[in-house]
């Protein structure tokens, strides 16, 4: 089997996707990751660097990857003890498995000359990031609708659904950027929260401090002590739309745009989003603990797939429709479609973007099914 290595220049195509049990999967593919040696990486061996920084694969995978040329420096093969220098180019050629997302379509709402609006499904990232490249709104629009390039005007967290606006050219994107920086754009979301949210407008004016390592935000308010407030200023306006006593549908109008602002401000009111595991309580295990648990569950070098050529067989693609892709003898994720550590039980947040309004324009998105209370 001849291996064709993809790079970011290779566009997603319709046949890249596999739909199964309500999920959209991406057929695993060979991909070249390119990075450059940072100052803090210099002086480490290439194997030590990857085993410390990228712990999703066992140590002996990286040894084998160096020895067979799947880890290269400045386009050349090196030995496992090679010591890296600042700014060198590292290429990692691997069999890439992307996490699945919900199979719900990316619905096009408005397709204008220089603006495109869509309804983003929950679980789908806006643009390539981390483990996601083809399973993104940008990738799906390109593969299924031939829409490229498009420039996201704003972002939505991966588990948030709703209105997403794209500019079709750099000039329109720049105009949107200027309007956002000038504070001329108003945003509206709806959320399904715990309990009976109070009537009338409720304004939360409380700083938000985002901890990137733990992946969550906290609210900080002045309590009269000398302890400095580290978070950024944040303000959100809330208004109840409906309630059944158990849950409430709340209109959320963020004045600022901090990470997880609506989610953590709703927690601060005592009415967190009803299915938001991160903010339902203050006792959620931090991301670092979950990461460590996943590392403990990951296969050890002795349990992982063989890292030599003894498993190459005839390099035939599996004909079983359950798989629909060729196994790679070095891949630590094969024979599964999803990568190791993927959370199969995740669900979309009950938080949905419904409207963006500017000086001379307004775009809206329909309400989701969960926004109706029985």
């Amino acid at each position: 089997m001849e291996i064709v290595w993809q790079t970011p220049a290779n566009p997603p195509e319709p046949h890249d996707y596999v739909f199964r049990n309500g999920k959209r999967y991406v057929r695993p593919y060979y991909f070249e990751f390119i990075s450059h040696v940072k100052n803090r990486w210099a002086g480490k061996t290439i194997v030590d660097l990857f085993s410390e920084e990228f712990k999703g694969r066992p140590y002996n995978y990286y040894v084998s990857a160096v020895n067979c040329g799947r880890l290269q420096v400045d386009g050349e093969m090196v030995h496992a003890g090679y010591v890296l220098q600042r700014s060198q180019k590292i290429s990692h050629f691997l069999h890439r498995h992307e996490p699945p997302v919900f199979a719900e379509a990316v619905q096009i709402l408005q397709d204008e000359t220089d603006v495109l609006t869509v309804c983003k499904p929950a679980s789908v990232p806006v643009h390539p990031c981390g483990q996601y490249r083809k399973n993104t709104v940008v990738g799906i629009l390109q593969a299924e609708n031939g829409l490229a390039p498009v420039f996201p005007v704003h972002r939505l967290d991966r588990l948030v659904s709703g209105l997403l606006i794209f500019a079709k050219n750099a000039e329109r994107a720049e105009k949107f950027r200027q309007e956002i920086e000038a504070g001329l754009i108003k945003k509206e979301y709806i959320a399904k929260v715990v309990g009976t949210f109070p009537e009338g407008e409720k304004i939360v004016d409380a700083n938000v401090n985002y901890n990137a390592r733990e992946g969550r935000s906290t609210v900080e308010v002045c309590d009269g002590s000398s302890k400095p407030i580290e978070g950024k200023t944040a303000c959100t306006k809330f208004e109840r739309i409906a309630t059944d006593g158990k849950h409430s549908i709340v209109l959320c109008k963020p004045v600022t745009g901090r990470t997880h602002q609506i989610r953590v401000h709703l927690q601060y009111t005592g009415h967190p989003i009803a299915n938001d595991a991160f903010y339902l309580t203050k006792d959620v295990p931090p991301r670092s603990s979950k990461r460590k648990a996943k590392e403990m569950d990951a296969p050890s070098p002795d349990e992982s797939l063989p890292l030599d050529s003894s498993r190459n067989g005839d390099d035939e693609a599996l004909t079983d429709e359950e798989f629909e892709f060729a196994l790679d003898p070095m891949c630590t994720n094969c024979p599964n479609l999803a990568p190791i550590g993927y959370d199969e039980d995740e669900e979309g947040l009950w938080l949905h973007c419904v409207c963006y309004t500017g000086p001379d324009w307004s775009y809206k998105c329909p309400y989701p099914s969960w926004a109706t209370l029985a």
Side-chain angles (χ1 to χ4, degrees):
M1 181 184 70
E2 180 183 359
I3 294 178
V4 178
W5 297 100
Q6 297 187 30
T7 71
N10 296 99
E13 299 181 6
H15 62 74
D16 291 335
Y17 301 99
V18 178
F19 296 89
R20 181 188 304 160
N21 299 327
K23 299 285 182 68
R24 176 194 294 263
Y25 292 83
V26 173
R27 285 190 178 87
Y29 55 99
Y30 289 97
F31 188 78
E32 178 186 4
F33 276 102
I34 296 175
S35 58
H36 291 83
V37 178
K38 305 174 184 178
N39 288 338
R40 65 183 178 86
W41 293 358
K44 296 182 178 181
T45 69
I46 187 168
V47 172
D48 286 344
L49 167 67
F50 272 80
S51 62
E52 293 170 7
E53 296 284 337
F54 307 100
K55 298 182 179 180
R57 292 175 172 81
Y59 183 90
N60 69 330
Y61 164 84
Y62 293 117
V63 173
S64 185
V66 171
N67 290 338
C68 75
R70 288 204 181 183
L71 266 176
Q72 298 182 6
V73 179
D74 291 332
E76 302 288 340
M77 289 184 63
V78 296
H79 57 84
Y82 182 86
V83 177
L84 296 166
Q85 301 176 34
R86 187 171 65 87
S87 299
Q88 285 184 304
K89 173 188 171 184
I90 304 176
S91 294
H92 186 192
F93 300 90
L94 53 72
H95 197 229
R96 186 168 183 175
H97 291 239
E98 295 192 27
V101 299
F102 298 150
E104 183 180 351
V106 177
Q107 179 187 359
I108 294 177
L109 301 174
Q110 290 176 278
D111 189 357
E112 302 175 350
T113 302
D114 56 1
V115 178
L116 174 75
T117 69
V118 305
C119 182
K120 182 186 97 64
S123 86
V124 185
V126 174
H127 50 71
C129 57
Q131 291 183 288
Y132 299 88
R133 175 173 166 257
K134 298 182 180 183
N135 249 353
T136 62
V137 176
V138 170
I140 293 169
L141 286 174
Q142 186 171 11
E144 297 185 349
N145 304 94
L147 292 167
V150 290
F151 305 86
V153 173
H154 60 105
R155 64 180 298 275
L156 297 176
D157 288 344
R158 187 175 66 83
L159 295 179
V160 176
S161 60
L163 177 68
L164 196 56
I165 305 172
F166 293 93
K168 288 187 174 181
N169 53 64
E171 293 76 17
R172 190 67 180 94
E174 175 61 17
K175 183 178 179 182
F176 276 127
R177 187 192 66 79
Q178 293 176 0
E179 292 174 346
I180 291 173
E181 289 191 352
L184 301 177
I185 293 180
K186 297 180 180 179
K187 301 166 282 186
E188 295 183 4
Y189 294 70
I190 57 166
K192 186 175 183 178
V193 305
V194 172
T196 302
F197 199 86
E199 290 185 303
E201 184 179 66
K202 182 174 181 59
I203 300 176
V204 175
D205 194 351
N207 287 29
V208 170
N209 187 8
Y210 179 67
N211 185 323
R213 179 177 178 80
E214 302 301 340
R216 61 181 299 176
S217 294
T218 54
V219 165
E220 294 182 338
V221 293
C222 182
D223 58 5
S225 67
S226 58
K227 182 180 179 181
I229 294 179
E230 299 178 355
K232 297 180 179 180
T233 57
C235 179
T236 313
K237 299 177 180 179
F238 298 106
E239 185 176 346
R240 190 179 81 190
I241 297 175
T243 185
D244 62 3
K246 182 179 179 181
H247 296 112
S248 298
I249 304 299
V250 178
L251 180 65
C252 316
K253 300 179 181 179
V255 179
T256 52
R258 311 305 181 197
T259 302
H260 294 186
Q261 175 178 316
I262 295 174
R263 298 166 66 182
V264 73
H265 274 181
L266 282 168
Q267 180 196 51
Y268 180 70
T269 68
H271 300 276
I273 295 173
N275 69 342
D276 190 349
F278 252 36
Y279 297 103
L280 271 172
T281 72
K282 296 183 179 180
D283 300 321
V284 176
R287 178 187 288 178
S288 56
S289 299
K290 295 179 179 179
R291 186 186 303 118
K292 185 171 294 185
K294 285 184 178 180
E295 289 170 10
M296 293 176 66
D297 290 338
S300 68
D302 293 335
E303 298 170 335
S304 59
L305 296 173
L307 298 182
D308 55 32
S309 60
S310 61
R311 219 198 76 187
N312 58 11
D314 295 327
D315 280 335
E316 292 180 349
L318 297 180
T319 57
D320 190 333
E321 293 182 358
E322 182 180 358
F323 293 98
E324 303 181 52
F325 70 94
L327 296 180
D328 179 75
M330 286 188 61
C331 182
T332 56
N333 290 310
C334 284
N336 300 314
L337 269 174
I340 292 172
Y342 165 68
D343 182 5
E344 297 182 0
D345 298 322
E346 75 172 6
E347 60 178 320
L349 283 177
W350 287 339
L351 179 63
H352 184 88
C353 182
V354 293
C355 184
Y356 260 63
T357 301
D360 56 358
W361 54 266
S362 181
Y363 296 108
K364 295 183 178 181
C365 184
Y367 278 22
S369 59
W370 52 254
T372 300
L373 297 176

